[in-house]
Amino acid sequence: MRLTVIGAGPGGYETAVAAAKKGMDVTIVSMGPLGGTCLNEGCIPTKCLCRSAEVVSTLREAEAFGATDVSFGFDLTAAMARKDEVVGNLRSGVEFLLKNPHITLLYGKASIAGPNAVRVELAEGGETVVESDYIIIATGSESAFLPIPGADKCITSREMLSLTSIPSSLAIIGGGVIGLEFASIFAAFGTTVTVVEYCKNILPRFDEDLSKRLKQSLSKKGISIITSAEVTAVSDDGRKVSFLQKGKPSEVEADMVLMAVGRRPRLETLNLEEAGIAFTRRGVTVNGYMQTSVPSIYAIGDVTGGMMLAHAATFQGLRALNHILAGQPAEGPVDGIRLDVVPAAVFTSPEAAMVGLTEAECEAKGIAVKCLKSFFRANGKALSLGEPDGFCKLIVAEEDEKILGCHLFGAHAADIVQEATVLIHRGATLPEFREVIHAHPTLGEVLQEAARS
């Protein structure tokens, strides 16, 4: 059986490797460096800078932990070099994974040439057509821009990751994951940061309680956050953001402006309409098996316009592969993957994370719930770390006491949420979770304290 994968991000390359292990002959087409956005200009490089910011913040607060006469400088160039080294090492790892006799790697721009054919304009010149039994589209996404005057004067996350000097001030359009992570990073580096968000809360897709509390926490760290603000223009010199708040015009000036209003799927070069593949401006249309309107063609990850997360793309790829291996048309479950239970994390300072349903989503679905909360300031490990800021909120169904959602911010929230993910995936109830013994003192106890509240 032959498979062609378009895109070599986490969803694409991990699916290719998994298919090769199953004995399939795989061709994978990469339009850029292996690893896609996540590895090269997203998840990994930003986490490297998050770590640099964390070290700087720790040194700044060292006296509180008994360290005296601590002085230090910060070299952004060195931090960027470390980031590049980490990215390079991981990219080499992907290259090694793809050195499989069942995998052929091509570099170039791919488009659908038929239900079983992909045309590739090779980066080295020339063109080839790859024939296969199945095709998986995993072309990812790119930075989105507001349709406003001066939008082209803004920088994106890509340029932020290659800065050679620290701006004295930074205006960020968008209070989502990307905007807030860069806000935390550069605030720690000493930049005066202002975030301008259209919605009434930052992180609009997160639980409202979490968003409000995180805003307070970030504000205490010196980040100015303006919500319910409609950005109308960016000045020609890219140093001024104009916006309306409650109908009143206002503006923010900064050394540079970051456009961080989300990402849009890469669709333009795929030849979708001519190939008969259904799509909207939000992404390729797929069913529960990640199958498009053309049965032999699947789409996974950001290009589908759903949860734009690397780990979601990986498991969507496994779902598509499992459906292919099950034989078409498969009916019913082909695996135990729950694509409705996908954790998400924001690497601000402190971190935020969520999994499952929010309180508002439960209300919209007519699900009666109770909300249980606990606070990091009552957690021994958090206090010993000097990280008392944070809270945990569990969403539990009234009817059967199943745990439906978990929302938290605080130290290592991105790690803590994994336990809640397992609980929700397995359909655990509140009484069952209360009986699970947790090590003391650990940050994970905030989950159990919420369950007992």
Side-chain angles (χ1 to χ4, degrees), residues 361-426:
E361 287 172 337
C362 290
E363 184 178 350
K365 292 174 180 286
I367 304 172
V369 297
K370 53 186 175 182
C371 300
L372 309 176
K373 300 177 183 179
S374 66
F375 298 87
F376 277 58
R377 63 174 178 264
N379 178 273
K381 182 66 178 291
L383 292 179
S384 68
L385 291 173
E387 299 279 358
D389 203 9
F391 99 120
C392 173
K393 177 178 179 179
L394 292 179
I395 311 292
V396 179
E398 288 275 14
E399 183 179 4
D400 56 12
E401 293 203 291
K402 280 190 176 181
I403 301 170
L404 302 179
C406 176
H407 311 271
L408 66 159
F409 83 91
H412 298 281
D415 302 308
I416 300 169
V417 79
Q418 293 304 133
E419 181 179 7
T421 302
V422 174
L423 294 169
I424 297 170
H425 180 96
R426 302 302 297 175

Side-chain angles (χ1 to χ4, degrees), residues 33-118:
L34 295 178
T37 296
C38 173
L39 176 52
N40 296 286
E41 53 189 65
C43 318
I44 301 303
T46 55
K47 299 308 125 8
C48 290
L49 295 186
C50 283
R51 175 57 178 158
S52 293
E54 182 182 30
V55 170
V56 168
S57 297
T58 299
L59 289 170
R60 222 176 253 134
E61 300 161 2
E63 191 172 336
F65 295 89
T68 58
D69 298 323
V70 176
S71 63
F72 66 96
F74 178 70
D75 183 350
L76 180 63
T77 302
M80 291 292 186
R82 176 182 176 275
K83 175 262 297 181
D84 292 340
E85 182 181 4
V86 171
V87 170
N89 288 338
L90 290 173
R91 193 185 300 132
S92 295
V94 177
E95 291 174 356
F96 178 78
L97 288 173
L98 296 179
K99 287 180 179 177
N100 182 305
H102 288 285
I103 298 176
T104 299
L105 171 61
L106 300 177
Y107 287 95
K109 184 167 64 177
S111 59
I112 306 298
N116 302 99
V118 172

Side-chain angles (χ1 to χ4, degrees), residues 80-395:
M80 291 292 186
R82 176 182 176 275
K83 175 262 297 181
D84 292 340
E85 182 181 4
V86 171
V87 170
N89 288 338
L90 290 173
R91 193 185 300 132
S92 295
V94 177
E95 291 174 356
F96 178 78
L97 288 173
L98 296 179
K99 287 180 179 177
N100 182 305
H102 288 285
I103 298 176
T104 299
L105 171 61
L106 300 177
Y107 287 95
K109 184 167 64 177
S111 59
I112 306 298
N116 302 99
V118 172
R119 179 176 291 105
V120 183
E121 295 178 26
L122 297 169
E124 61 191 23
E127 182 179 286
T128 188
V129 175
V130 180
E131 300 278 350
S132 58
D133 300 291
Y134 298 98
I135 299 167
I136 295 180
I137 301 170
T139 48
S141 62
E142 59 194 7
S143 295
F145 286 83
L146 292 178
I148 57 172
D152 60 329
K153 306 301 180 182
C154 300
I155 63 172
T156 68
S157 55
R158 173 183 291 179
E159 290 79 38
M160 289 295 294
L161 291 168
S162 58
L163 291 180
T164 56
S165 62
I166 300 171
S168 62
S169 57
L170 173 67
I172 300 175
I173 302 174
V177 175
I178 297 170
L180 293 182
E181 288 189 351
F182 279 113
S184 281
I185 291 167
F186 280 86
F189 292 167
T191 301
T192 300
V193 179
T194 303
V195 177
V196 185
E197 166 57 40
Y198 176 78
C199 297
K200 69 175 183 176
N201 293 311
I202 57 173
L203 297 178
R205 294 187 178 183
F206 279 59
D207 188 85
E208 188 172 338
D209 266 0
L210 184 151
S211 298
K212 288 180 177 178
R213 292 174 187 272
L214 181 61
K215 179 184 176 183
Q216 293 172 353
S217 180
L218 295 177
S219 297
K220 286 190 291 185
K221 293 181 180 292
I223 300 171
S224 176
I225 300 176
I226 303 168
T227 54
S228 301
E230 179 185 358
V231 174
T232 56
V234 175
S235 62
D236 289 340
D237 61 1
R239 295 171 64 91
K240 186 184 297 182
V241 178
S242 300
F243 61 91
L244 295 173
Q245 190 179 37
K246 297 181 179 178
K248 295 181 179 179
S250 189
E251 60 186 29
V252 172
E253 291 191 55
D255 286 348
M256 60 180 59
V257 178
L258 167 63
M259 182 71 75
V261 293
R263 300 181 64 82
R264 63 185 186 90
R266 288 196 179 103
L267 303 171
E268 289 78 10
T269 63
L270 290 170
N271 196 40
L272 297 175
E273 189 170 356
E274 292 81 355
I277 299 173
F279 69 99
T280 69
R281 65 181 183 85
R282 292 183 174 273
V284 178
T285 304
V286 294
N287 62 18
Y289 301 114
M290 311 310 297
Q291 193 175 31
T292 71
S293 54
V294 177
S296 58
I297 301 177
Y298 295 71
I300 63 172
D302 291 8
V303 76
T304 66
M307 294 186 75
M308 292 189 174
L309 300 167
H311 47 284
T314 296
F315 279 85
Q316 288 168 358
L318 293 177
R319 167 61 58 79
L321 181 59
N322 290 337
H323 186 245
I324 289 170
L325 294 172
Q328 294 190 43
E331 296 181 2
V334 292
D335 53 44
I337 297 170
R338 286 191 59 180
L339 295 177
D340 61 324
V341 184
V342 181
V346 190
F347 293 86
T348 46
S349 178
E351 294 175 357
M354 65 162 288
V355 65
L357 298 175
T358 66
E359 186 176 358
E361 287 172 337
C362 290
E363 184 178 350
K365 292 174 180 286
I367 304 172
V369 297
K370 53 186 175 182
C371 300
L372 309 176
K373 300 177 183 179
S374 66
F375 298 87
F376 277 58
R377 63 174 178 264
N379 178 273
K381 182 66 178 291
L383 292 179
S384 68
L385 291 173
E387 299 279 358
D389 203 9
F391 99 120
C392 173
K393 177 178 179 179
L394 292 179
I395 311 292

Side-chain angles (χ1 to χ4, degrees), residues 5-13 28-36 94 98 105 138-139:
V5 180
I6 305 174
Y13 80 74
I28 183 167
V29 184
S30 181
M31 291 164 285
L34 295 178
V94 177
L98 296 179
L105 171 61
T139 48

